[in-house]
Amino acid sequence: MNKYIEKVLADVKAKNANEPEFIQAVEEVLTTLAPVIEANPQYEKAAILERMVEPERTVMFRVPWVDDNGVVQVNRGYRVQFNSAIGPYKGGLRFHPTVTLSVLKFLGFEQTFKNSLTTLPMGGGKGGSDFNPRGKSDGEVMRFCQSFMTELSRHIGADTDVPAGDIGVGGREVGYLFGQYKRLRNEFVGVLTGKGRPFGGSLVRPEATGYGTVYFAQYMLEKLGQDIKGKTVALSGFGNVAWGAAQKLVQLGAKVVAISGPDGYIYDEKGMTQEGVDYMLELRASNNDVVEPYAAKFGAKFVKGRKPWEVKCDIAFPCAIQNELNGDDAKMLVENGCMMVVETSNMGCTADAVNYLNGRVAFAPGKAANAGGVAVSGLEMSQNSMRLSWSAEEVDAKLKDIMKSIHDNAYDTAEKYGMKGNYVAGANLAGFIKVADAMVAQGVC
Ligand code: GLU
């Protein structure tokens, strides 16, 4: 390995020893950067890597709120403002019991490169809380969001830091967060994306991550002279991202045979129909975190407590959460004839899985494939600034163009550095170069 990269990686491991997800994300990126680091000595001279692995700012705060029984609850809130070299910090808020500083630092780090790839001027950030919205009443979620925003509002702004949704944060939560920000600051600005349509939300934002990942897969298939129509697909998850992907896949004539939840997975041998896709929304709205009811309703099989990577499929789209697909899952997929894995969750594959899959099958890393969500967030920011709104067709066409740019940039960059077909390296290198050049130009800051 390159000496400079080796040194920075060792320092990151020593300094952040109790942050395994963050170390995993940094290692995955840094170990692919040698060709640009060697060709550009100015990066080492300006300590670009040392600066890139340190968030510009991390805010950690208490979130007290009162539950429906009148009992005071306390959660921990965070915002990691990772890198603002190419635009205001931008990235989602995650409300999930697994949220820790390590998880949010990995997500903020990834977001910096992902946002760079979108072609739009957005820096990287991420935030959230260990609050679990599952099983909470609307009133509890609202009081939590209001308390969370009461602190967060001091640190964000339409030109400073623009949060959005992520796992556990959808339209309802963004609405409550926006309402509280507006009330505290007495200003109606595009400080959050993923807003409701009547108050500045963009059309196609709810579908964007799922649609974008399928567009990305289409561009990859095009390079291989293949079509998505007729391909058998296994998805994980049943939330917003899996729903958007399923919807687009069904529209394009792919056969979606699996979705999953924390309780197990559904195997629908005939392939999902539009009714099945619509039913995913009902499952999610039920607030129960289970997919099992899908089986009885659509005559499909429910496999309790297992992951969908054991089904026979051509393409797998992990759409749930980090490290949901491990080395054993990867081997099983390949043995069953899978030819493409499109990582749609952030760091959805373990390092083992990425190493095994990349090269054996066509493999798309999350920071490229799932960038459609934040890209349409960027388009929401543009519409808010212009005080205009675009039609669904206009937004969808822009999303498609952006996914094509991301695909081509990752593909061409990999080829330029002698790693044709390696989208992991291509996405990391392309995402990195833009941010690194901006940092060099802005001096030591
Ligand atoms: N949470 C999404 C992501 O991981 C979207 C972020 C955003 O729209 O700001 O990219």
Side-chain angles (χ1 to χ4, degrees):
M1 204 196 298
N2 169 284
K3 281 238 148 33
Y4 172 45
I5 293 179
E6 210 171 310
K7 182 189 165 295
V8 175
L9 202 48
D11 286 350
V12 168
K13 288 181 180 172
K15 254 188 170 170
N16 307 279
N18 57 349
E19 296 179 358
E21 294 87 358
F22 178 56
I23 291 173
Q24 184 187 339
V26 171
E27 189 155 22
E28 191 264 314
V29 171
L30 261 51
T31 51
T32 60
L33 297 181
V36 279
I37 293 294
E38 277 154 21
N40 296 277
Q42 74 274 21
Y43 293 156
E44 182 173 353
K45 199 158 166 257
I48 290 298
L49 291 182
E50 291 88 330
R51 286 195 270 153
M52 267 195 192
V53 296
E54 201 59 58
E56 288 176 23
R57 186 175 303 105
T58 299
V59 199
M60 209 167 129
F61 50 94
R62 177 170 78 200
V63 189
W65 56 282
V66 181
D67 72 16
D68 286 347
N69 299 318
V71 178
V72 178
Q73 303 284 346
V74 181
N75 285 96
R76 188 173 277 179
Y78 308 82
R79 186 72 181 165
V80 181
Q81 297 181 329
F82 223 105
N83 193 304
S84 64
I86 63 166
Y89 310 108
K90 178 84 196 90
L93 297 171
R94 177 176 292 191
F95 292 170
H96 194 266
T98 57
V99 164
T100 59
L101 186 57
S102 170
V103 167
L104 295 178
K105 279 176 69 179
F106 114 64
L107 288 163
F109 181 76
E110 286 278 295
Q111 197 83 43
T112 302
F113 300 97
K114 180 192 329 196
N115 293 2
S116 161
L117 288 168
T118 64
T119 72
L120 303 173
M122 299 183 290
K126 201 86 185 191
S129 172
D130 56 0
F131 173 77
N132 187 359
R134 291 282 172 208
K136 303 286 191 305
S137 70
D138 269 357
E140 289 176 324
V141 170
M142 182 183 76
R143 291 193 293 279
F144 174 82
C145 287
Q146 290 178 338
S147 179
F148 184 87
M149 183 51 89
T150 300
E151 176 56 37
L152 188 69
S153 64
R154 305 165 200 261
H155 311 287
I156 61 174
D159 293 318
T160 307
D161 182 356
V162 182
D166 194 80
I167 296 170
V169 178
R172 173 182 64 166
E173 290 75 17
V174 170
Y176 294 149
L177 292 162
F178 183 79
Q180 183 72 353
Y181 183 89
K182 182 165 63 65
R183 186 175 171 207
L184 289 165
R185 302 285 284 256
N186 196 26
E187 49 182 38
F188 191 113
V189 292
V191 68
L192 287 152
T193 59
K195 298 184 293 295
R197 183 74 189 130
F199 52 100
S202 176
L203 286 169
V204 191
R205 177 63 189 86
E207 297 89 339
T209 310
Y211 280 20
T213 198
V214 176
Y215 295 149
F216 196 91
Q218 278 187 298
Y219 295 124
M220 286 174 82
L221 286 165
E222 217 171 77
K223 284 276 179 205
L224 301 170
Q226 298 200 39
D227 194 351
I228 201 140
K229 194 166 176 205
K231 290 274 186 294
T232 301
V233 174
L235 297 177
S236 62
F238 71 107
N240 174 261
V241 175
W243 163 75
Q247 167 120 325
K248 187 48 78 182
L249 286 161
V250 169
Q251 274 174 21
L252 295 172
K255 188 173 164 192
V256 180
V257 294
I259 57 168
S260 74
D263 54 334
Y265 75 88
I266 296 290
Y267 182 59
D268 190 344
E269 205 183 349
K270 307 175 296 300
M272 258 178 140
T273 57
Q274 184 57 47
E275 290 71 52
V277 176
D278 295 341
Y279 185 64
M280 287 170 83
L281 293 178
E282 273 179 53
L283 278 178
R284 189 149 47 98
S286 75
N287 216 3
N288 286 327
D289 231 1
V290 289
V291 284
E292 186 174 2
Y294 183 104
K297 197 165 166 75
F298 292 95
K301 197 163 117 190
F302 172 65
V303 184
K304 194 177 167 161
R306 298 184 68 90
K307 296 189 279 184
W309 315 129
E310 59 194 25
V311 311
K312 197 170 159 43
C313 64
D314 300 313
I315 311 181
F317 286 81
C319 298
I321 199 162
Q322 69 268 7
N323 293 329
E324 55 170 311
L325 196 160
N326 63 29
D328 293 338
D329 300 325
K331 285 191 187 118
M332 209 150 39
L333 281 168
V334 173
E335 275 160 24
N336 285 330
C338 175
M339 49 86 64
M340 181 180 278
V341 176
V342 187
E343 190 185 47
T344 303
S345 38
N346 290 308
M347 208 166 74
C349 297
T350 63
D352 271 7
V354 178
N355 290 337
Y356 185 80
L357 292 168
N358 198 16
R360 272 197 180 80
V361 301
F363 180 81
K367 66 172 74 64
N370 77 24
V374 74
V376 174
S377 276
L379 300 179
E380 184 170 324
M381 290 166 74
S382 307
Q383 294 170 79
N384 291 167
S385 299
M386 293 189 300
R387 307 213 188 285
L388 284 174
S389 67
W390 294 324
S391 68
E393 291 70 30
E394 271 175 287
V395 179
D396 192 36
K398 287 184 179 17
L399 168 63
K400 232 181 195 161
D401 278 354
I402 290 173
M403 295 316 295
K404 172 123 179 76
S405 303
I406 298 172
H407 172 275
D408 292 357
N409 195 2
Y411 186 89
D412 295 345
T413 307
E415 188 168 28
K416 179 174 165 193
Y417 288 99
M419 293 176 279
K420 191 171 173 187
N422 184 344
Y423 287 92
V424 174
N428 287 342
L429 290 165
F432 170 82
I433 293 166
K434 182 172 162 188
V435 179
D437 287 345
M439 289 174 75
V440 170
Q442 289 169 29
V444 178
C445 57

